[in-house]
Amino acid sequence: MSSSLISLGVAIAAVFLFWTMSSTSSSPFARNFPRLYNQRICLLIAHPDDEAMFFAPTVLALTKPELGNHLKILCLSTGDADGLGHIRKKELQQSALQLGLRNESDVYVVDDPARFPDSMSTIWSDSDVSDLLASAFAPDLLAGTAAGAARKRDSKSKSHAKTNDDSPSATIDVILTFDQRGISNHPNHRSLYHGALYFLRTLMKDKSGYSCPVSLYTLHTTSLLRKYIGVLDAPITMARGAVSSLVSSFSKGKAGSGSGGENPSRLLFVSSVNEWMTAQSAMVKAHKSQMVWFRWGWITFGRYMAVNDLQRENI
């Protein structure tokens, strides 16, 4: 009996040691992981609780004061499928503060069920998502706005030559959202990926020769097995990320591309034990209305509560 307890204790200690060494914040190797610094970041989500159930490691990492980032959350529905939208909006604000956002005003929840219903069977329009992003971060993109037309007339009257006013611009530097499979294959999640791409491609239309001013990072969807092994997925993710980085570096070097100021092609965040417990708290204490029985399994064994792997999309 005593030997079994000793073996259990050693196993638990080994897991926590492995976890600490894997964390991208507490590991002695943390400085080798790519980061974002001094960026204006929008986390684009579909429902209140997406930020905690899927993006907690990313939010906890990027809101660290020493990085100088300003992260905001834009949620395109109140999550009112069960009539709890008014409650869930407040829960999102509470969760966001626990995860490191500066204040409640950095969370904006869209209440427009006609365009963005909380539904397992509805795909949101790419153009609707794009228009919303444009109105928030690039208002000149919206066709027919008086402000946009006035700026164009003013620009033409000042100079006939090409100026910096012709370059694409936005009030954010980075968008974070789901990839095309949406982690859980939820149609609302997948709509964000396509809508964000639509927005950035519209921003870059007729802007050849310029780089896109906004980087789009999408959260990688894994297999079902990896999705439920929690932090044990960290070495798999790290190995894949290392190989991808080497291939990317080799390709850039071979092509002679010196884009030193470009954001990294991948971001990897593995939460420490304390950060994982913070994410747990954001779900259990803030999103109380959503803590039905099956969510306990997700927040305990779900890989996305501890590990996030994001890829920068080509625009």
Side-chain angles (χ1 to χ4, degrees), residues 244-301:
S244 175
S245 296
L246 285 173
V247 171
S248 177
S249 298
F250 177 76
S251 299
K252 286 183 179 179
K254 193 173 182 180
S257 165
S259 54
E262 204 173 62
N263 282 333
S265 59
R266 280 186 175 272
L267 295 172
L268 170 63
F269 304 110
V270 179
S271 292
S272 66
V273 176
N274 285 338
E275 288 169 336
W276 179 78
M277 292 177 67
T278 299
Q280 297 281 311
S281 177
M283 275 302 299
V284 174
K285 295 182 179 179
H287 290 291
K288 292 180 180 179
S289 72
Q290 299 306 296
M291 288 310 298
V292 292
W293 66 269
F294 57 85
R295 290 238 162 75
W296 288 98
W298 176 267
I299 69 170
T300 303
F301 301 108

Side-chain angles (χ1 to χ4, degrees), residues 195-228:
L197 275 180
Y198 191 105
F199 163 62
L200 295 181
R201 286 170 179 165
T202 303
L203 185 67
M204 295 304 297
K205 186 177 181 181
D206 300 325
K207 302 291 183 180
S208 59
Y210 291 103
S211 297
C212 185
V214 182
S215 296
L216 172 62
Y217 285 94
T218 56
L219 187 63
H220 176 64
T221 298
T222 65
S223 66
L224 186 64
L225 174 62
R226 290 180 60 194
K227 190 183 293 187
Y228 289 101

Side-chain angles (χ1 to χ4, degrees), residues 3 19 23 42 64 119 134 144 164 193 218 222 234 247:
S3 61
W19 195 336
S23 168
C42 170
K64 292 184 183 300
S119 170
N164 289 334
Y193 167 82
T218 56
T222 65
V247 171

